[in-house]
Amino acid sequence: MKPSRLTVTEKPVKEIAADLLVFCALEKKDKSPKCDRAVKSRVEKAFSLGDFKGKAEEELLFYPEPKEGKAKRILLIGLGEMDPKKDPDEIFETLREAGGGIAKACERTKAKTLVLCLPEIPGFGAEDTADALAQGILLGDYRFAKYKESTRKETDYTGLTTIQFSAGKSVKQVRKGARKGLTAARAACEARNMANEPGNGWTSKEFADHAKALAKTHGLIYKCLEKKELEKLGMGGILAVNQGSAIPPRLVILEYRPAKKSQTIMLVGKGITFDSGGISLKPAQGMGDMKYDMCGGAAVLSAMQAVGEEKPPVGVVALIPATDNMSGSRAVRPGDIIRHFNGVTSEVLNTDAEGRLVLADALAYGIKTYKPDCVIDAATLTGAVIIGLGHHHTGLVSNNEKLTSLVTAAGKKAGEPVWPLPLTKAYKKQIESKVADIKNLGGKDGGTITAAAYLSNFVDKTPWVHLDIAGTAWDFTEKSYIPKGPSGIAVRTFLNLIRDWNNPDLKTDNV
Ligand code: BES
Ligand code: MN
Ligand code: ZN
């Protein structure tokens, strides 16, 4: 997807030839919906017949007369009532969903070229309007067809080739917003691409190669700790999980430093490229989905793509402990005791609780090496979070109230809601071991929290948020801009957090 795919134009929409020209309509109580002059009489007629009220998701497709422009088809899409008193995050989400709806309409009509006449929304700026619609269209236009290329038919729809935003008066703001939306959506789609790669297509090596390429393109600092170095550093968790694998483990690191001295945000993503469970083997049914067990790592790496493009004033370091979790004669056994990077020993009672083992080393190493002001990890860590929250909220566990509120706000704005879970002494007690410092199994109750309790042994006093994305990384809430399969969750949350970062004093809010 090239950046040039989305352009902003000042040309009157009538003069642009496109497969699909889209106008938005705002619902008005008992009145004809508010829309652009160009389609006003059409909308009034449809409204008077009771066919179109401008409600969200409502659509009207027609074929323009020559005097109505050069487009092949015109789509009217409803946005619902746009009360300026509404929560701006909600308006943002409505527009993103409308964007997704537009992408779906393009697929239905096989439109390759799209022109969108941007709506004016009272109390909501042109920049945000363009940002949200760009996100929705680009996220909704996503498809993964890499392994179907040779059987592709000429008539198969392959997505939009060009998108033009007709800006009206606010070209400058629209350009800025469209660029932001494009950066965010492309990063999220990149995370989806990584996740869609199967276990043999995306290994620790692909993680490293991709990071290296990003570093080269954007001037980031790349480092990859290979097996020998992990051994030397004593990263017993990553090594244990990798023991059954034929592919060496890697701790992949990307560092972005702004020109001026700044705070540093550290991101850590679980990069298990396939999770068989190891000796504690998973049942066959559904095991194929465990190629998605690297979605945390994909999110973190893709966020760095956006960071590289935008060069924000805050430092960001990303770490991805990457390996698959396999079985075999060399594999780690239930009952084995390992020693993590920070010296903490752990009794591995279930080899399927591997995410916490690799994250533990990455967290401890990253905090010691980079001394970040805060750390956020994202991991498809527990099935338990799906029992608790379903597929609509990411589970959040933290040691810091301020950071929790910042991540919560960033997620809300991104349409990626998170929900907090408590982490108190009693949960930490559940992972005390008789033979080692801790164990990797906390019993069947409160599984998401006991997994986080494990991680808490490796963050020291650093303000930390853990995001359990097991329920949201794929099969996320059904929305027009969220495809079946991997969602790209957390990428846009991270990006919002980084963009809005205001050097808060976090330490005082530790709990
Ligand atoms: N990757 C899984 C968690 C998972 C399960 C993600 C289902 C998405 C869907 C993780 O490594 C795992 O296997 N966790 C175990 C932990 C248990 C053994 C304590 C789980 O949740 O069952
Ligand atoms: Mn597992
Ligand atoms: Zn796993």
Side-chain angles (χ1 to χ4, degrees):
M1 202 195 289
K2 291 198 213 83
S4 60
R5 240 178 32 132
L6 174 59
T7 53
V8 178
T9 177
E10 290 172 87
K11 256 198 194 167
V13 282
K14 263 190 187 182
E15 289 171 24
I16 310 169
D19 293 333
L20 189 68
L21 167 59
V22 177
F23 292 96
C24 300
L26 280 66
E27 185 182 4
K28 293 270 156 208
K29 250 206 170 75
D30 306 319
K31 278 203 283 198
S32 181
K34 190 183 145 205
C35 62
D36 192 83
R37 250 201 340 243
V39 283
K40 199 155 186 276
S41 65
R42 294 249 190 199
V43 168
E44 277 169 2
K45 193 163 185 183
F47 176 76
S48 69
L49 291 168
D51 291 354
F52 188 79
K53 295 191 175 65
K55 285 193 185 308
E57 289 176 53
E58 238 183 341
E59 288 181 11
L60 203 61
L61 186 72
F62 59 88
Y63 305 89
E65 303 291 337
K67 67 170 187 331
E68 287 173 303
K70 291 186 180 165
K72 284 188 193 148
R73 299 175 183 83
I74 292 184
L75 177 78
L76 273 164
I77 185 156
L79 299 178
E81 279 188 57
M82 283 286 169
D83 186 342
K85 286 195 293 278
K86 244 191 195 171
D87 177 354
D89 292 345
E90 232 175 87
I91 298 182
F92 218 108
E93 176 72 355
T94 303
L95 291 172
R96 229 177 348 243
E97 292 197 52
I102 292 168
K104 293 278 159 304
C106 290
E107 177 159 28
R108 275 197 308 278
T109 58
K110 298 200 172 174
K112 283 187 172 14
T113 56
L114 167 71
V115 178
L116 171 63
C117 181
L118 282 186
E120 272 174 42
I121 295 164
F124 196 76
E127 179 182 326
D128 285 346
T129 304
D131 180 355
L133 282 161
Q135 279 187 39
I137 294 169
L138 291 157
L139 290 167
D141 186 42
Y142 177 81
R143 48 190 57 72
F144 184 75
K146 182 177 160 189
Y147 295 102
K148 279 175 159 292
E149 287 296 310
S150 59
T151 54
R152 205 178 75 209
K153 292 196 266 334
E154 195 71 9
T155 50
D156 285 352
Y157 183 66
T158 52
L160 284 161
T161 55
T162 65
I163 303 163
Q164 277 179 281
F165 278 6
S166 168
K169 283 167 277 171
S170 342
V171 189
K172 233 177 138 185
Q173 289 101 298
V174 168
R175 280 225 164 91
K176 194 166 170 217
R179 161 70 43 194
K180 278 172 82 179
L182 182 71
T183 297
R186 277 165 61 212
C189 288
E190 199 52 55
R192 292 174 183 173
N193 279 341
M194 295 175 199
N196 269 314
E197 285 287 353
N200 64 346
W202 196 268
T203 68
S204 68
K205 178 159 190 310
E206 281 70 27
F207 261 126
D209 290 349
H210 191 91
K212 197 172 181 181
L214 279 181
K216 193 160 172 228
T217 309
H218 300 296
L220 310 173
I221 305 163
Y222 164 80
K223 184 156 102 180
C224 176
L225 300 179
E226 308 275 347
K227 188 170 176 182
K228 276 228 168 72
E229 289 151 291
L230 298 175
E231 281 167 352
K232 228 188 281 159
L233 289 163
M235 303 231 192
I238 300 176
L239 291 164
V241 174
N242 179 257
Q243 261 173 237
S245 173
I247 304 161
R250 291 177 171 88
L251 179 56
V252 180
I253 305 171
L254 270 185
E255 202 182 336
Y256 162 74
R257 293 282 167 207
K260 271 204 201 138
K261 193 172 151 41
S262 71
Q263 290 194 339
T264 302
I265 301 173
M266 184 170 116
L267 305 175
V268 180
K270 173 177 172 182
I272 297 294
T273 55
F274 183 76
D275 181 11
S276 73
I279 298 288
S280 315
L281 193 66
K282 285 184 181 294
Q285 178 147 35
M287 200 201 276
D289 275 354
M290 284 299 128
K291 67 179 171 189
Y292 300 141
D293 211 17
M294 36 56 75
C295 281
V300 162
L301 194 50
S302 303
M304 288 312 278
Q305 171 182 314
V307 166
E309 284 174 22
E310 293 189 348
K311 309 247 174 340
V314 62
V316 189
V317 185
L319 289 91
I320 302 146
T323 174
D324 50 1
N325 181 25
M326 302 300 279
S327 186
S329 60
R330 289 168 195 265
V332 65
R333 291 159 288 252
D336 282 3
I337 297 173
I338 61 168
R339 187 182 297 275
H340 282 294
F341 174 78
N342 66 351
V344 171
T345 59
S346 170
E347 185 186 10
V348 180
L349 285 175
N350 188 317
T351 67
D352 196 13
E354 85 297 340
R356 64 199 77 182
L357 304 186
V358 301
L359 289 168
D361 285 337
L363 286 166
Y365 173 80
I367 287 169
K368 184 167 181 218
T369 311
Y370 299 99
K371 302 181 176 54
D373 294 275
C374 70
V375 49
I376 302 126
D377 76 77
T380 48
L381 206 60
T382 64
V385 80
I386 311 176
I387 307 291
L389 298 175
H391 295 284
H392 310 307
H393 280 78
T394 290
L396 179 151
V397 183
S398 176
N399 63 3
N400 187 281
E401 278 177 6
K402 177 83 187 156
L403 189 62
T404 294
S405 73
L406 290 172
V407 174
T408 304
K412 181 168 169 282
K413 193 169 169 183
E416 300 182 333
V418 305
W419 202 262
L421 298 165
L423 176 56
T424 51
K425 251 201 247 145
Y427 295 100
K428 296 182 184 174
K429 214 168 159 208
Q430 274 181 248
I431 55 162
E432 282 174 6
S433 163
K434 287 204 169 66
V435 293
D437 295 331
I438 50 175
K439 57 186 179 186
N440 81 332
L441 208 55
K444 75 173 173 32
D445 303 324
T448 302
I449 305 174
T450 53
Y454 191 96
L455 300 181
S456 74
N457 286 287
F458 304 90
V459 297
D460 202 11
K461 296 266 179 311
T462 310
W464 159 68
V465 157
H466 159 63
L467 299 175
D468 194 330
I469 57 171
T472 50
W474 69 98
D475 292 348
F476 184 40
T477 315
E478 219 178 304
K479 309 183 199 186
S480 59
Y481 66 88
I482 300 292
K484 293 231 163 0
S487 59
I489 200 89
V491 175
R492 290 176 304 107
T493 298
F494 285 149
L495 190 53
N496 283 344
L497 183 78
I498 292 164
R499 281 171 172 170
D500 295 343
W501 194 257
N502 204 1
N503 301 316
D505 182 14
L506 291 171
K507 277 249 159 70
T508 52
D509 287 296
N510 268 5
V511 287

